[in-house]
Amino acid sequence: MPPILELIGLRKRFGALDALADVSLSVAPGELVFVLGPSGSGKSTMLRCCNLLERPDEGAVVLEGRDIAARGVDLDAARKRIGMVFQAFNLYPHLSALANVTLALRKALRLPRAEAEARGMAALDRVGLADKARNMPGQLSGGQQQRVAIARAMALEPAVMLFDEPTSALDPELVDEVLAVMRELRAAGMTMLVVSHEMRFARAAADRVVFMDRGAVVEQGPPERIFEAPRSERLRAFLSRRA
Amino acid sequence: MDALAAQFFDLSIMAAALPMVIEGLWMTLALCAVVVPMGLAGGLLVALAALSPKRWVRWPTIALIDLFRALPPLVLLIFVYSGLPFAGVRLDPFVAVAFAFLLNNAAYYGEIYRAGIESVPPGQMEAARSTGLSQAQAMAWVVLPQAVRNVLPDLVSNTVEVVKLTSLASVVSLSEMLHQADLARSVTYNASPIVLAAGIYLAILWPLVRLVGRFERRMAS
Amino acid sequence: MGFADAFLDMAVIARYAPSILSGMGVTLALAVLIVLAGTAAGLALACLRATGSRRLSIPIVIFADVFRALPPLALILLAYFGLPNVGVSLSSFMVLFTVLALVLAAFAEEIFWAGIAATPKGQWEAARSTGLGFRSTLLWVVLPQAARMAVAPLTNRAIAITKMTALGTVIGVPDILNQATTAVSFSGDASPLTLAALAYVAIFLPLVIASRRLERRFQWRRL
């Protein structure tokens, strides 16, 4: 099956720093790809290149067979096909949970209000927060906020969803509810690219684990192989520090 | 285009008006030297009174602050300069301006200090008192320095407003810069002297306006 | 002459109350027009600046700085006495309206811009990642947050600038102060000034008190 999302030869420099040095990666339909690596390894930059929040200096981002990093591509249209969940949730503080979810449905997809709200409620229901639809973000716990943010991304029915350290800003006791929602998404067949430090989640839910360091993919494979039999010295060192 | 240049940027008229305008500039600076410190000091007293625990001090103070914030400074000035003589009180224009602006400026500076003092956590006062400082000492050495730092951009931007305000003194024939420039304008039938004065205001105030912007950006980040 | 005679002569007050009242109409009309035009223009300029284009933002910043740094009275004299000689004849009402609306626009632009700039980058990124364009993001996500931050400072600034309509007296706009000073010179009594002060208090005191409330209410809590 052709990949849904394929990164080819991405390079990105920030000043003197090589954030990405020739990164290639592909994600197949229904696959959950888990990216790990030390901080500064370029994994977040790589993720942010997938929906062009960061524009790579070189390389292609092929979404459903089309290079969206090329000039003249309608990025807004492409981004409707790629959901993103942020470390800091980034919910709109002036809008209710439901309005957070329906804003893009109404203004980007241009759905009528009733239809947008029906879809928004369905999305909130899937993350278990239908009863919080009218609450403002400030009235929700961190875990609930992140679940609303997932619903916001999911409601657009994207082809692939990006997760940028979705649990890093959460208190430990709130992490599990977010991971549970991500597991359900995976079970429902969503294609997911996840940057995170949650190793247990990677072992349990990932189809493939990618290890990045110094702006490059060092090693990738099934989770058992990566965690039980790391090949590269750098991955071994990384895993032993984490253990 | 030439008409525009001749009407607003006639260099020979500007040169001729320059001594007069500069004379006015000294008066403007003298006014600022009186009005700004008086406003800063008066404002501080007003703020302390507005935060007083005694209701009979606090409420009248707040009422007066709001009253003087509701009145246009020019109305205050004309009231003091043209009104008081009817009651037998005749003030020198400089004194009238200083007094009218004190009422206005103390109210505005006072509100800024008050916001600053309120922004300092109460724990600071408690900590200072617990080390044996008196209420006044704690206010002077612990609370106020932090309060002033927190509202420094507002204090500077209000000072810009006060300097601009001194131009109203021209209405009561005090020979400050705008008055002198307008006099030159009426003699020459040409607006260039006012452009000259505007240029001098800009030279004095633009750096302050920029400074406020920089303060605000630093505090936001 | 005693204080009460000079400032509270009921006969004089009764005689000139109608003209002060008509002055109130002029002052109020000017105030409303200045606030509407100045705020709208300031908002528009802040939005143009938000596009990030230097060709747009440099002139906007210069405009805002100049109109914040110059005394409004200097601008009024400049426009009123200078413009007719270059073929632009505006009534004193229009001069006062235009100058003060521009001054408010300069301050409003800075206030809205500060709000836009203070909105976290993550808000833009979240909105753009759901396929919202620049304009939709600005309109639906960033401006509502920026406007909330702007309400209190903008109210204060709008009050300060609409109070400057009193400067119109200098160029003969028949506002409250102008009516009052005319009445003073006709009546030889200062009571019309008292009436004028009361008229200003009637218009602006409710606004000053409202701004106090707004300041407390709109202290925006970030997440």
Side-chain angles (χ1 to χ4, degrees):
Chain A
M1 217 168 356
I4 275 193
L5 179 68
E6 192 172 16
L7 309 178
I8 305 167
L10 289 191
R11 288 176 194 278
K12 177 79 184 174
R13 294 180 68 88
F14 293 117
L17 178 80
D18 258 323
L20 295 179
D22 194 14
V23 169
S24 295
L25 185 71
S26 77
V27 183
E31 198 182 14
L32 193 158
V33 175
F34 188 98
V35 183
L36 56 81
S39 61
S41 60
K43 53 194 195 302
S44 274
T45 305
M46 184 269 293
L47 200 69
R48 291 160 58 83
C49 282
C50 294
N51 65 352
L52 280 295
L53 281 184
E54 219 67 80
R55 188 167 270 287
D57 299 331
E58 278 175 50
V61 177
V62 181
L63 174 74
E64 298 177 307
R66 209 161 61 101
D67 178 13
I68 60 170
R71 296 284 154 188
V73 169
D74 179 356
L75 274 184
D76 293 335
R79 282 171 178 156
K80 291 172 197 162
R81 304 288 301 150
I82 315 173
M84 185 163 196
V85 175
F86 298 84
Q87 180 175 357
F89 330 140
N90 295 349
L91 289 187
Y92 314 132
H94 60 297
L95 298 179
S96 69
L98 181 60
N100 261 278
V101 178
T102 56
L103 183 66
L105 297 176
R106 295 183 57 198
K107 304 300 174 190
L109 291 192
R110 304 202 167 278
L111 297 182
R113 190 194 184 97
E115 197 183 334
E117 294 201 340
R119 242 165 103 169
M121 283 307 295
L124 283 174
D125 194 41
R126 279 183 71 184
V127 299
L129 288 173
D131 58 325
K132 303 285 186 194
R134 303 287 161 196
N135 286 50
M136 301 302 280
Q139 300 167 314
L140 300 176
S141 73
Q144 290 171 332
Q145 289 189 45
Q146 191 59 300
R147 283 150 66 196
V148 172
I150 292 173
R152 175 173 70 184
M154 198 172 74
L156 289 156
E157 296 172 358
V160 53
M161 282 179 73
L162 312 171
F163 290 80
D164 189 5
E165 308 206 16
T167 57
S168 299
L170 293 174
D171 291 335
E173 72 273 18
L174 300 176
V175 168
D176 284 344
E177 58 182 275
V178 171
L179 294 182
V181 166
M182 291 169 65
R183 276 204 190 86
E184 280 164 34
L185 263 179
R186 148 128 190 79
M190 176 59 74
T191 308
M192 296 159 77
L193 183 55
V194 181
V195 168
S196 170
H197 296 293
E198 298 291 339
M199 304 291 187
R200 276 187 308 130
F201 178 79
R203 281 173 189 272
D207 296 298
R208 182 152 50 101
V209 174
V210 174
F211 174 64
M212 283 184 71
D213 192 20
R214 293 179 216 159
V217 172
V218 178
E219 196 172 336
Q220 54 179 311
E224 316 79 59
R225 218 276 291 139
I226 290 289
F227 291 118
E228 306 310 334
R231 285 175 192 156
S232 64
E233 190 48 48
R234 276 194 266 171
L235 177 54
R236 269 199 291 277
F238 175 77
L239 290 175
S240 66
R241 274 201 305 277
R242 287 266 148 191
Chain B
M1 209 58 214
D2 281 354
L4 208 70
Q7 178 59 4
F8 292 102
F9 300 99
D10 186 321
L11 290 181
S12 61
I13 289 180
M14 281 189 189
L18 187 62
M20 245 177 116
V21 172
I22 292 290
E23 208 179 292
L25 172 63
W26 297 130
M27 180 56 91
T28 292
L29 292 176
L31 259 181
C32 292
V34 171
V35 168
V36 172
M38 269 173 50
L40 283 168
L44 185 54
L45 292 178
V46 165
L48 293 174
L51 290 168
S52 161
K54 300 187 187 72
R55 240 186 260 173
W56 57 270
V57 176
R58 191 171 69 231
W59 287 8
T61 309
I62 291 174
L64 283 176
I65 291 177
D66 282 357
L67 177 69
F68 288 118
R69 286 206 305 164
L71 285 172
L74 183 58
V75 173
L76 279 173
L77 177 56
I78 291 193
F79 208 98
V80 169
Y81 182 74
S82 319
L84 286 185
F86 287 95
V89 183
R90 193 168 295 277
L91 297 177
D92 173 79
F94 193 98
V95 177
V97 169
F99 180 62
F101 287 2
L102 173 64
L103 299 178
N104 179 72
N105 294 339
Y108 274 93
Y109 277 124
E111 279 296 280
I112 296 171
Y113 283 120
R114 194 177 59 83
I117 293 171
E118 283 182 338
S119 75
V120 178
Q124 292 293 311
M125 176 57 94
E126 287 166 11
R129 294 305 297 278
S130 77
T131 62
L133 293 183
S134 72
Q135 171 90 18
Q137 287 172 319
M139 181 56 84
W141 302 114
V142 178
V143 177
L144 271 182
Q146 301 180 57
V148 168
R149 212 190 47 194
N150 289 351
V151 293
L152 201 54
D154 292 326
L155 286 174
V156 177
S157 100
N158 195 54
T159 303
V160 172
E161 293 305 305
V162 173
V163 175
K164 285 155 63 180
L165 207 58
T166 59
S167 65
L168 298 197
S170 62
V171 177
V172 298
S173 299
L174 188 66
S175 54
E176 53 71 67
M177 185 160 64
L178 187 58
H179 181 265
Q180 297 300 88
D182 194 44
L183 208 58
R185 193 263 321 152
S186 65
V187 175
T188 57
Y189 296 102
N190 187 293
S192 301
I194 299 183
V195 173
L196 175 65
I200 296 175
Y201 279 116
L202 213 53
I204 298 172
L205 294 177
W206 199 346
L208 285 178
V209 167
R210 293 268 95 195
L211 186 69
V212 174
R214 184 152 351 142
F215 274 148
E216 275 167 356
R217 270 192 296 281
R218 206 175 52 204
M219 299 193 99
S221 61
Chain C
M1 210 193 292
F3 210 82
D5 289 334
F7 289 100
L8 285 170
D9 185 322
M10 283 308 158
V12 173
I13 286 179
R15 185 155 15 112
Y16 290 102
S19 61
I20 301 279
L21 219 55
S22 83
M24 269 180 98
V26 173
T27 297
L28 267 175
L30 271 167
V32 170
L33 290 175
I34 289 165
V35 168
L36 291 178
T39 307
L43 182 60
L45 290 174
C47 290
L48 287 178
R49 194 172 165 190
T51 60
S53 145
R54 289 178 72 81
R55 288 228 318 269
L56 289 173
S57 64
I58 289 174
I60 289 171
V61 170
I62 291 174
F63 160 77
D65 277 8
V66 168
F67 276 79
R68 288 185 306 154
L70 285 180
L73 186 55
L75 291 166
I76 288 168
L77 295 178
L78 214 53
Y80 187 69
F81 292 111
L83 288 182
N85 293 337
V86 292
V88 183
S89 268
L90 296 176
S91 68
S92 54
F93 185 95
M94 275 309 288
V95 165
L96 187 60
F97 161 74
T98 309
V99 167
L100 292 185
L102 287 173
V103 171
L104 180 56
F107 280 99
E109 187 279 322
E110 282 300 309
I111 291 169
F112 283 121
W113 171 249
I116 292 171
T119 303
K121 203 166 135 251
Q123 293 290 311
W124 285 96
E125 292 185 344
R128 297 308 297 271
S129 80
T130 60
L132 289 170
F134 172 83
R135 261 185 277 174
S136 294
T137 303
L138 186 62
L139 181 62
W140 302 107
V141 175
V142 177
L143 280 185
Q145 299 179 54
R148 244 188 123 93
M149 284 185 261
V151 166
L154 192 60
T155 310
N156 282 333
R157 191 56 71 178
I159 292 172
I161 290 170
T162 48
K163 281 195 317 186
M164 289 178 196
T165 51
L167 300 181
T169 301
V170 177
I171 55 171
V173 176
D175 71 328
I176 299 173
L177 183 60
N178 192 9
Q179 298 286 5
T181 50
T182 310
V184 168
S185 54
F186 278 121
S187 66
D189 187 284
S191 301
L193 284 179
T194 311
L195 208 52
L198 286 176
Y200 280 109
V201 167
I203 295 176
F204 288 107
L205 190 60
L207 296 175
V208 167
I209 292 170
S211 78
R212 230 179 235 297
R213 297 257 163 88
L214 283 178
E215 229 154 88
R216 299 224 179 274
R217 218 185 112 202
F218 281 105
Q219 279 168 350
W220 179 249
R221 252 171 258 283
R222 296 232 140 259
L223 297 175

